[in-house]
Amino acid sequence: MSRPTFPRPRPARRRTALAASAFVLALSSLGLAPGAVAAAAACSGAESDFNGDGIRDTAIADPEATVAGLTEAGLVRIVYGGGKGTYELTQDSPGVPGGPEAGDRYGFSLAVYDADLDGCADLAVGMPYEDIGTAADAGAVHIVYGSATGFNGGKVPKEHIQGEGRTLSGAAEAGDWVGYALAAGRTSAGVPYLIAGIPGESIGTVEDAGGAVYIHGTGQTVAGINQDFENAGGAVPGGAETDDRFGASVAATPTHFAIGSPGEALSTTTFAGCATVFSHTLVSGWPKPLFGLGQDQSDVTGAEEFGDGFATALAMVPHRPAGATSTTESLLAVGVPGEDLSSTVDTGAVQIFRVTASGTFSDIAWIAQDTADVEQESEPGDFFGQRLAAVNTSPNTTTTGTTARLAIGVPGEESAEEHREKGGVHIVPMVGAPGASDSWIDPGWGIPGEPAPLQLAGMSLSGSTAGLYVGMPYGPAAGHAVHLFPWNTANGGAPSQTFKPGENGIPAGDTAFGATVR
């Protein structure tokens, strides 16, 4: 197994089943449909309800899909809850800016939130490989609105791109990758926000240092963030350096958010990685930086090593400790997929941090497949922690290992030589002993279908109160699907719902259905 690799300084387009970027797993072997929703009287305010009928809907991307004869233009399927049909979203859809182009990979990233506070969920769509003028792979983000008349049935979608006269500051440059990672929600003060990573952004002459934008309020005010930023709220820890890739991962709760820089060099140790945590509190219009996290710190478990990729993946949930009367803290999970355990190379690990309201942190858990009582065993090339998803199903009560759950993608896992890189998903509590209530699922053991090489289970994960979504976009086409699991599923437990091309009103045919799901 090779380590996760990071192109330098400007990557050419890479179009592979591994999601075509420097931060996905680098393996050496490697309109309304029939039954459309009826108009609702008003938006319900329910989670992920795009059409206002009070039933949760699901957004499933196939960013490698061919659209209008253009390969890897990408599309997103909105699957309405209650069996009310689907909507296909592309850059050919009504009101959507631009048009489909080969290699755009529309839907590479997704986030769901109520951007205009009308009670209907809205969808942020990232397309980091969108060309802006002559700038290849400059990237863009669309916000497509839900409405009581259906998804994309009301307001005209909003586009965020760089360039003169555009919504985002700075010039659109080749390889910026605007929208590579997205996180969205509502702050504890009720303000909608969207965070978009721009990991290919150059800061001055520093190539691929990375950046992010914080888009907040119903007017979508934009604040740019990078590691050279400083104002009255404080300085962002670290400094802009080549290949840092600040913005490659993002995660948020109503009180805090985190931005990952998996290419960060710590002293002379390159690609060790780090994360930066912010408060949603605005100082002079910008979020307040709180602290940085890296394995070179004395209060962080582990030691920085070349290629660790700390913060390749992030997940964050609200946290209420025992005795607290409000929820003002957060739990932050950090994936370190390139972590070596003794002589076991690239087996991976995950660290969990408690973030307090005052802006301090404590390192509360180290999780690996050699941790006491956890399922499976650490093996070279597992890349444990390459993807993360988490939930707190009861954020307004004291956090427990039952309510705060974390799914860890292990795409390099293999159960036999003929099933190399089959992958799997490890589900653990975020508080308490990781092995106390953990479970394991993989193809043929909980995840429907037969095990096969290069299925890379665990590369597509998403969490909500509805459950854990596990996308299976790779491997044999017959296994391509998205499966919804209960968060407290048993070892090898079955999904409660499956979304599959050609079934239950979802159009047949796909390339990488489920590469991203929300």
Side-chain angles (χ1 to χ4, degrees), residues 449-474:
E450 296 297 321
L454 297 174
Q455 288 174 297
L456 303 176
M459 281 294 283
S460 173
L461 299 175
S462 179
S464 76
T465 56
L468 168 65
Y469 289 96
V470 177
M472 292 294 295
Y474 308 126

Side-chain angles (χ1 to χ4, degrees), residues 401-500:
T402 301
T403 61
R405 306 290 288 175
L406 174 68
I408 302 169
V410 196
E413 181 80 21
E414 51 193 56
S415 56
E417 186 174 347
E418 65 270 24
H419 299 152
R420 58 191 177 86
E421 286 81 64
K422 174 188 67 173
V425 181
H426 196 177
I427 306 167
V428 300
M430 293 190 77
V431 295
S437 60
D438 66 326
S439 57
W440 173 265
I441 54 175
D442 63 21
W445 177 248
I447 298 176
E450 296 297 321
L454 297 174
Q455 288 174 297
L456 303 176
M459 281 294 283
S460 173
L461 299 175
S462 179
S464 76
T465 56
L468 168 65
Y469 289 96
V470 177
M472 292 294 295
Y474 308 126
H480 290 193
V482 171
H483 306 287
L484 178 62
F485 288 87
W487 275 104
N488 289 290
T489 191
N491 271 318
S496 58
Q497 187 175 5
T498 290
F499 305 84
K500 191 175 179 65

Side-chain angles (χ1 to χ4, degrees), residues 177-464:
W177 295 350
V178 171
Y180 184 89
L182 299 174
R186 194 182 300 185
T187 70
S188 55
V191 179
Y193 66 85
L194 171 67
I195 305 153
I198 315 175
E201 179 81 11
S202 295
I203 307 302
T205 60
V206 182
E207 297 285 334
D208 301 327
V213 289
Y214 183 82
I215 303 170
H216 59 95
T218 56
Q220 298 187 31
T221 303
V222 177
I225 307 170
N226 61 63
Q227 286 182 296
D228 270 356
F229 176 81
E230 181 175 2
N231 77 348
V236 176
E241 299 170 313
T242 300
D243 290 330
D244 278 351
R245 300 292 189 176
F246 180 88
S249 57
V250 293
T253 68
T255 51
H256 303 99
F257 67 93
I259 299 177
S261 310
E264 181 81 22
L266 300 178
S267 185
T268 60
T269 305
T270 55
F271 304 113
C274 75
T276 306
V277 177
F278 298 79
S279 166
H280 286 290
T281 299
L282 300 181
V283 179
S284 302
W286 275 267
K288 182 179 179 179
L290 296 178
F291 54 82
L293 290 170
Q295 289 183 312
D296 62 336
Q297 296 167 243
S298 60
D299 44 4
V300 174
T301 303
E304 72 276 18
E305 299 170 309
F306 168 76
D308 275 351
F310 183 95
T312 293
L314 298 172
M316 210 171 196
V317 300
H319 173 54
R320 180 180 291 193
T325 57
S326 61
T327 305
T328 58
E329 298 190 1
S330 301
L331 296 176
L332 171 65
V334 178
V336 196
E339 181 77 24
D340 300 342
L341 300 180
S342 185
S343 60
T344 309
V345 177
D346 294 337
T347 184
V350 172
Q351 292 179 256
I352 299 179
F353 300 90
R354 175 184 172 183
V355 182
T356 67
S358 62
T360 63
F361 76 90
S362 54
D363 188 344
I364 64 171
W366 169 277
I367 307 170
Q369 287 182 304
D370 63 356
T371 301
D373 299 322
V374 304
E375 296 294 328
Q376 306 300 304
E377 296 179 356
S378 295
E379 298 168 313
D382 278 350
F383 295 102
F384 182 91
Q386 183 72 28
R387 292 287 186 271
L388 299 173
V391 72
N392 186 341
T393 57
S394 185
N396 294 320
T397 62
T398 299
T399 304
T400 70
T402 301
T403 61
R405 306 290 288 175
L406 174 68
I408 302 169
V410 196
E413 181 80 21
E414 51 193 56
S415 56
E417 186 174 347
E418 65 270 24
H419 299 152
R420 58 191 177 86
E421 286 81 64
K422 174 188 67 173
V425 181
H426 196 177
I427 306 167
V428 300
M430 293 190 77
V431 295
S437 60
D438 66 326
S439 57
W440 173 265
I441 54 175
D442 63 21
W445 177 248
I447 298 176
E450 296 297 321
L454 297 174
Q455 288 174 297
L456 303 176
M459 281 294 283
S460 173
L461 299 175
S462 179
S464 76

Side-chain angles (χ1 to χ4, degrees), residues 54-72:
I55 305 173
R56 193 185 200 282
D57 307 316
T58 306
I60 302 173
D62 185 343
E64 298 179 25
T66 297
V67 177
L70 301 164
T71 58
E72 299 190 6

